[in-house]
Amino acid sequence: MKNTTIAGKTKNIKQSIKTYGTKQAIKGILSLLSHLSDANIVRLTKFAETITANEAQKERVKIVREKFEKGHPSLEIARRIAKKLTPQTKEKIAQNLFINAMFLGTQKRNRIYHEEGWRPPFFFVISPSMRCNLNCIGCYAGSYTKADVLTTRDIDKIFTEAKELGIYFITVSGGEPFFRKDLMDLWEKHSDMYFLVYTNGTLIDEKVAEKLGRMGNVAPAISVEGFKEQTNFRRGPGVFDKITSTWKILKENGVLFGFSATCTRLNAELIYSDEFIDSLIENGALFGWYFQYIPIGKGPDTELMATPKQRHYVRERLQTIRETKPIILADFWNDGHLAGGCIAGGRVYFHINVNGDVEPCVFTHFAVDNIKNTSLKDALNSKLFKIIKSKQPYSKNLMCPCMIIDEPAVLRQIIAESGARATHSGAESLLKDNIADFLDKYSKELHSMWDPLWESVYDSGKKLKAIDKEISDKILK
């Protein structure tokens, strides 16, 4: 196919959405993918840049495009998507993520903002079950009830209301999501949405993987703590071998999948190492999500938290990995400056727990509303969420985005002002006694390191300067 013909296709895709609907646009996108070349991949990013309604998203797409044009390793990600995934998976990436979530969903959310004065978030996390076949050390969700309070009908209603608000991307967590057999049917029913599923991976067999490849709109993110020793230590004997088997099954069935890793004092250096990332790429992972260990849930232990120096080290490593490895990585804490600070409280996302409580995020276990007796729209406009958004960002230093571990005084203030209740026994431990004292000292140490870095690296707190490495060396020496 000649380049002029392909270039013409990219110009027509956006018009197809307006004139003929998404079906023709998807055909155009898949046509470009089927004629794989670096030039076509660049053309797709140019197209994404033109249809993206949100200016922040548009800027991110532009950065990706510029990297592609320079031959960045991330080009290999696009090649792997085109060559290794099932046709259904590629179609759902194009339709549900590219068009429904990024384009049509953003338009709908913007319309709500202009008409009603508030903007729905891009996505949310839902934990339909806290049942799990593992017993991981320090599980953030380990203190919730193990009963499945949310019914199939409840979840179906939540997904339907989400689409009415322009939300087409949903993250499913737990517990272990694959314990609930009804979820697979719900994901299939809501085939116009895309689901990222955090899972321990041990319940995904050949039959499940085959169906995921056929459905195309579900991407598992399998939890891993490092290699065999680290994973089995936290998750139990034999878990790592089962995970590697699951990776193989998903890869063979053309399923888009990735990993999730919790950064602790014990594994911080390992899970950001070249050796670890290379092994995941080799096993077929296309993306990864990093979390910080938060002292909440079952047996909260501040000694498991990565130290401020370790957080600084892994932030630097993340930048290096992104420049050298063909894998998409997101880090909720270390990417705070890219997201404009904390994204919780409905600014970009929120959490619905197993009881139906609408929480600011998966680690802030406080709520004022329950989805069983209110609408998604009303919950997003709660007093709690309004107070949170009024205080965001919590400090001028966007590298310290979290109200739990970076700005704990803000969390205490928000809970006091909103009257939010703890959503399980023990959740209030963050606000008092030893844990609160520890977090105050922890955040003070972190700010003593990162406030000078922020002032030096950023121009008026807005524009990144290219001197990260120089200042990092000064802090770490």
Side-chain angles (χ1 to χ4, degrees), residues 47-76:
F47 161 64
E49 196 176 338
T50 64
I51 72 164
T52 302
N54 181 283
E55 288 302 318
Q57 292 177 357
K58 190 185 295 289
E59 182 62 27
R60 294 188 188 104
V61 175
K62 179 182 177 183
I63 292 171
V64 172
R65 174 177 58 78
E66 290 173 348
K67 288 181 180 295
F68 282 175
E69 289 174 336
K70 295 176 182 178
H72 188 272
S74 54
L75 269 170
E76 180 60 26

Side-chain angles (χ1 to χ4, degrees), residues 51-293:
I51 72 164
T52 302
N54 181 283
E55 288 302 318
Q57 292 177 357
K58 190 185 295 289
E59 182 62 27
R60 294 188 188 104
V61 175
K62 179 182 177 183
I63 292 171
V64 172
R65 174 177 58 78
E66 290 173 348
K67 288 181 180 295
F68 282 175
E69 289 174 336
K70 295 176 182 178
H72 188 272
S74 54
L75 269 170
E76 180 60 26
I77 300 170
R79 297 189 191 105
R80 289 165 65 195
I81 289 173
K83 292 181 178 179
K84 303 296 184 181
L85 303 184
T86 64
Q88 297 93 326
T89 299
K90 287 184 285 189
E91 180 177 347
K92 293 303 181 182
I93 291 172
Q95 175 178 307
N96 298 7
L97 279 180
F98 215 14
I99 294 175
N100 292 355
M102 287 181 62
F103 182 62
L104 299 177
T106 300
Q107 285 190 334
K108 188 178 292 187
R109 297 192 301 274
N110 287 344
R111 185 164 59 250
I112 291 172
Y113 174 73
H114 291 301
E115 293 175 356
E116 302 181 20
W118 73 283
R119 189 190 306 276
F122 179 72
F123 79 105
F124 62 88
V125 180
I126 184 170
S127 298
S129 177
M130 286 302 163
R131 288 183 290 153
C132 189
N133 56 324
L134 302 184
N135 189 28
C136 302
I137 297 171
C139 175
Y140 82 92
S143 294
Y144 287 112
T145 177
K146 297 299 184 288
D148 291 345
V149 179
L150 290 174
T151 66
T152 302
R153 185 175 180 179
D154 290 332
I155 301 169
D156 185 34
K157 179 175 179 286
I158 291 168
F159 291 170
T160 300
E161 288 187 12
K163 286 184 282 189
E164 292 171 355
L165 297 176
I167 304 171
Y168 289 86
F169 179 72
I170 293 179
T171 295
V172 183
S173 189
E176 173 48 50
F178 285 96
F179 251 116
R180 287 196 62 151
K181 305 302 181 186
D182 59 342
L183 288 180
M184 195 78 84
D185 294 333
L186 285 167
W187 298 334
E188 192 167 27
K189 177 180 179 180
H190 293 273
S191 61
D192 55 346
M193 306 183 84
Y194 205 89
F195 299 93
L196 169 68
V197 181
Y198 290 119
T199 170
N200 63 43
T202 61
L203 300 182
I204 298 176
D205 56 18
E206 185 73 38
K207 183 178 179 181
V208 171
E210 188 277 331
K211 186 168 184 178
L212 292 176
R214 180 161 30 88
M215 288 164 52
N217 65 330
V218 179
I222 298 174
S223 299
V224 63
E225 310 297 330
F227 294 112
K228 178 179 285 191
E229 178 184 353
Q230 297 78 22
T231 299
N232 288 352
F233 171 76
R234 189 176 184 211
R235 297 186 170 269
V239 172
F240 186 78
D241 288 342
K242 174 56 182 172
I243 287 173
T244 56
S245 174
T246 300
W247 286 335
K248 182 180 179 181
I249 292 171
L250 291 171
K251 186 177 180 180
E252 290 173 346
N253 282 276
V255 179
L256 172 65
F257 72 93
F259 74 93
S260 69
T262 300
C263 179
T264 72
R265 191 170 303 193
L266 304 178
N267 70 354
E269 291 78 13
L270 176 62
I271 62 174
Y272 289 82
S273 68
D274 287 338
E275 183 184 12
F276 179 68
I277 294 299
D278 288 344
S279 71
L280 289 163
I281 294 171
E282 183 178 350
N283 278 290
L286 279 159
F287 64 88
W289 294 86
Y290 284 109
F291 299 86
Q292 291 294 315
Y293 170 76

